[in-house]
Amino acid sequence: MTVTDSEPTSAGASVAPERKRLAGRVATWLRNPWGQPRVLVLETWIYIAWALVPVAIAILFSFNAGRSRSVWQGFSLRWWWGDPSQSIFHDPDYTHALVHSLLLAAFDMAIATPLGVLLALGLARWRGRGSGVANSLMLIPLVTPEIVMAVSLLVVFTQLSIVPFGLIHLGTPAQVVGQVTFSLSYVVVIVRSRLASIGAQYEEAARDLGATPFQALRLVLVPLLLPAILASMLIVFALSIDDFVVTQYMSSNSTTTTIPMYLYSNARGGTTTPALNALATILVFTTLLGLTIAYVIYNTLGKRASMGEVSALRELSGIEAA
């Protein structure tokens, strides 16, 4: 009886230290003060899943064979171009919203990019009274709530009859002006960061070699700024095609409806189809594509900048010899 009674006691005594050692390993694994921060990595992946899984589900249901946006009924391209009347490439409302969004993005890139480059050059070279204030004011559109900017522009275009405000009416012109207003600062920030990394020595070398200010700008500075210019252009495209608040306030009628406006007005009520998911999928992939291309261009061309600097200086040496 003594041996039998002592067996459970010895087994329990051996299990307790093992549990303590296991708990100690788990606590050390979680704390991990000198290794990879596992808890932060876990938190990051949880956030990414929380943010992207609903988007992935919406994209998946754009390929649903049935009309439901919540019950999977098989894979189909019906809502892209298979349905003769309700697919996004056959319904005129969908195609018009897509075309108008691309049109506004093209106008925004064509206007905001050159203006932003010139403004960045001017602010970088302005040395004197008022330069600090101007640099601070340039950043205001980045921090101003978009709804405030939209309401302010609406008041300007509808209540003020002063030229040139009276010449801009609600619709496509007002939408373009509104988008250029808030996207211009992004171009300035990107180009100025590139200017800061380049420095002034290449322009000074070009002037020493006999180049005029315009030649130094055209032959040296613009090629060196090309990665930032192209990247900012694509970021402006992504901002424009994704904008809702300013574009909504500046619109006039159904002919100036963009993809975000159409999604907002149709997804919240009424009978909807997975064609809305397909339209949203185009918006998501277009935005991601623009940002990805901007990132690749900025990094790839930025690494080749030194080669461009050498070739530009060689070209300027030819100017001096001539």
Side-chain angles (χ1 to χ4, degrees), residues 54-283:
V55 178
I57 293 174
I59 293 174
L60 176 65
F61 274 92
S62 68
F63 300 98
N64 194 13
R67 298 182 61 88
S68 176
R69 298 172 63 199
S70 58
V71 179
W72 183 251
Q73 297 169 291
F75 181 86
S76 174
L77 296 176
R78 171 186 178 184
W79 306 109
W80 288 85
W81 56 73
D83 195 291
S85 60
Q86 295 182 326
S87 60
I88 58 174
F89 292 111
H90 289 91
D91 191 321
D93 293 334
Y94 291 123
T95 55
H96 179 78
L98 178 60
V99 170
H100 190 67
S101 296
L102 295 175
L103 180 65
L104 289 181
F107 278 124
D108 195 7
M109 287 191 299
I111 298 173
T113 304
L115 287 180
V117 172
L118 294 176
L119 183 57
L121 291 173
L123 291 175
R125 285 159 172 71
W126 188 358
R127 299 290 186 271
R129 183 176 299 176
S131 59
V133 176
N135 279 276
S136 301
L137 291 176
M138 182 273 300
L139 297 174
I140 287 181
L142 295 176
V143 298
T144 302
E146 196 173 359
I147 184 68
V148 175
M149 181 177 294
V151 173
S152 302
L153 289 173
L154 179 64
V155 172
V156 167
F157 293 144
T158 57
Q159 303 298 326
L160 297 182
S161 57
I162 304 174
V163 178
F165 301 130
L167 300 178
I168 302 176
H169 303 286
L170 293 182
T172 302
Q175 287 176 327
V176 172
V177 173
Q179 290 190 359
V180 169
T181 301
F182 78 84
S183 61
L184 191 65
S185 298
Y186 292 89
V187 180
V188 175
V189 170
I190 296 172
V191 174
R192 287 206 63 182
S193 64
R194 179 64 178 163
L195 278 171
S197 64
I198 292 173
Q201 62 270 20
Y202 296 104
E203 279 189 278
E204 294 173 356
R207 297 298 304 276
D208 292 339
L209 292 172
T212 63
F214 179 73
Q215 286 176 324
L217 175 66
R218 181 174 61 89
L219 299 176
V220 176
L221 195 58
V222 170
L224 296 178
L225 289 177
L226 188 59
I229 294 174
L230 294 178
S232 61
M233 182 182 299
L234 291 171
I235 289 176
V236 167
F237 172 81
L239 290 171
S240 172
I241 203 168
D242 194 41
D243 179 68
F244 170 74
V245 179
V246 172
T247 308
Q248 169 75 18
Y249 273 78
M250 298 297 102
S251 66
S252 57
N253 49 44
S254 59
T255 62
T256 57
T257 300
T258 59
I259 295 178
M261 294 168 57
Y262 192 88
L263 290 174
Y264 178 81
S265 61
N266 288 274
R268 291 180 61 89
T271 303
T272 59
T273 64
L276 282 179
N277 294 50
L279 194 64
T281 301
I282 292 177
L283 181 64

Side-chain angles (χ1 to χ4, degrees), residues 9-25:
T9 304
S10 60
S14 62
V15 170
E18 185 64 27
R19 289 178 178 175
K20 289 182 179 180
R21 284 194 294 270
L22 180 60
R25 292 195 200 101

Side-chain angles (χ1 to χ4, degrees), residues 281-320:
T281 301
I282 292 177
L283 181 64
V284 170
F285 278 100
T286 303
T287 304
L288 292 178
L289 180 63
L291 294 177
T292 303
I293 294 175
Y295 176 80
V296 172
I297 287 177
Y298 191 82
N299 283 274
T300 303
L301 296 184
K303 293 178 181 178
R304 300 177 182 175
S306 57
M307 299 176 60
E309 295 162 5
V310 174
S311 62
L313 291 177
R314 286 178 179 174
E315 189 172 352
L316 289 170
S317 299
I319 295 175
E320 181 189 23

